[in-house]
Structure formats: C-alpha cells, structure tokens
Amino acid sequence: MALYLAVPERKHKQAWKRYLKEILSAGETSERKQTYRAFLRQRKRFSSEKTVSEGFVPDTLYFLMDNDGDKILGRISIRHRLNDHLLNNPGGHIGYAVAPSERRKGYGTEQLRLGLEKCREMGISPVLVTCHKDNIASAKVIQKNGGVLEDERVSGEGKVFQRYWITL
C-alpha cells in the first residue's frame, strides 16, 4: 500500500469525520470535536507565524492517507521552530498519532519517515521528537527513524518523557 502525507483539504471531510469518530470513541483526547470547516480554519491560522496564537509556534499538519485517498490512517504535525516550552517539555518539532484501528501495522514508522522528509524540505535539522517513556511503540518508531536519545525528563504532570534528536 502506497502511503502519502496530505495537507487537509475540503475533499478529506468524510475521511476526517471517520478518523475523528474513531479516536474520540477510543477516549483519546489528542483531537477535539469540531466542524471540519472550523478545523480547516484553525489549521490555516496555526500554519502562519503572523496568525498563530501567542505563545505557540506555527505548524503544518498532514494526514497520513492510504493510496485511495479515502482513509486517514494518522496525522502528523510539524512545528516550524521550537520555543522554550517545546524544547524542554513533551512536544518537540513533531507530534503524530495513528488511528487506533491502524496501529501495529508499521504506519507510525512510515508516517514519521515521511514527516522527516517534510522537515528536510523546510530546512529543519536536527529534529527533536519526544515521547512518554511508557510509550514503547512510539520510542521504537523514533529509533527506527534514526532518533538518538538525548535524555529523559519529568513533565509538569510528573510523567517521564524521552527526548530524541534526528539529524537529517
């Protein structure tokens, strides 16, 4: 199956609704329930240095799509730069998630690989990717993509997270 990253567009509305329903049903809070139109407006606002909310950095979100382009397998967000918070807390340059029904199929590894290609195109290197220490699957995805563990830290919520750097 050929996978690719797609910037969210109107044509992805039904796929996004199915993806959102699945992650909300799984009790995952990485996304919030909103209309697709509001989601697209938010994504446009977040992608520009001029319009991103104060205290945040601009980022570009991509959907991981199957070759038919009708199913969102995951999503990856690339932050254009780091601020002190993203550098020293869970966050980094990249945040990603795979739909619960699509996990353990190698999509996370491929999604991060494709995301790193986007980072290279944007001139971002090295790339900081973080995960909670107990998220073994995410740590393996990062390591398979060349992630080198720098250290472990404790977040404000008291959870240990790992900081990996990937040089492109």
Side-chain angles (χ1 to χ4, degrees):
M1 176 185 296
L3 304 176
Y4 64 95
L5 296 180
V7 173
E9 297 178 44
R10 283 186 218 168
K11 69 182 180 179
H12 300 122
K13 181 178 181 177
Q14 294 308 314
W16 178 81
K17 283 183 170 184
R18 289 188 298 272
Y19 173 77
L20 187 61
K21 181 179 179 182
E22 180 178 347
I23 62 173
L24 290 173
S25 294
E28 297 184 6
T29 59
S30 61
E31 305 282 343
R32 62 177 220 207
K33 191 170 182 165
Q34 60 183 323
T35 67
Y36 192 64
R37 176 185 240 158
F39 170 77
L40 289 177
R41 279 195 310 268
Q42 177 191 60
R43 294 310 325 149
K44 184 174 183 177
R45 191 174 69 248
F46 285 6
S47 68
S48 170
E49 192 75 51
K50 294 177 183 177
T51 56
V52 71
S53 300
E54 187 174 333
F56 290 84
V57 300
D59 72 274
T60 302
L61 182 129
Y62 299 93
F63 292 146
L64 178 67
M65 304 295 296
D66 66 3
N67 54 343
D68 295 329
D70 63 353
K71 185 169 187 179
I72 297 171
L73 304 171
R75 61 112 185 113
I76 187 165
S77 181
I78 300 172
R79 298 174 189 101
H80 302 181
R81 61 179 173 79
L82 297 178
N83 58 19
D84 286 340
H85 181 80
L86 292 169
L87 181 63
N88 296 300
N89 294 281
H93 285 102
I94 294 179
Y96 60 91
V98 174
S101 64
E102 303 301 333
R103 293 179 184 157
R104 304 183 63 84
K105 298 179 182 179
Y107 295 148
T109 300
E110 180 63 6
Q111 179 173 243
L112 182 55
R113 185 190 71 75
L114 292 168
L116 291 169
E117 286 180 12
K118 297 292 185 186
C119 287
R120 184 178 285 113
E121 292 169 10
M122 298 167 82
I124 302 169
S125 182
V127 177
L128 176 62
V129 186
T130 69
C131 68
H132 285 102
K133 185 173 183 174
D134 62 358
N135 190 342
I136 309 280
S138 190
K140 287 181 180 180
V141 164
I142 297 166
Q143 292 165 5
K144 286 179 187 175
N145 277 283
V148 176
L149 180 65
E150 178 182 41
D151 60 14
E152 294 181 349
R153 298 183 182 183
V154 179
S155 71
E157 294 83 36
K159 290 187 79 173
V160 176
F161 69 98
Q162 298 176 322
R163 299 171 72 246
Y164 292 88
W165 289 96
I166 303 171
T167 302
L168 304 177

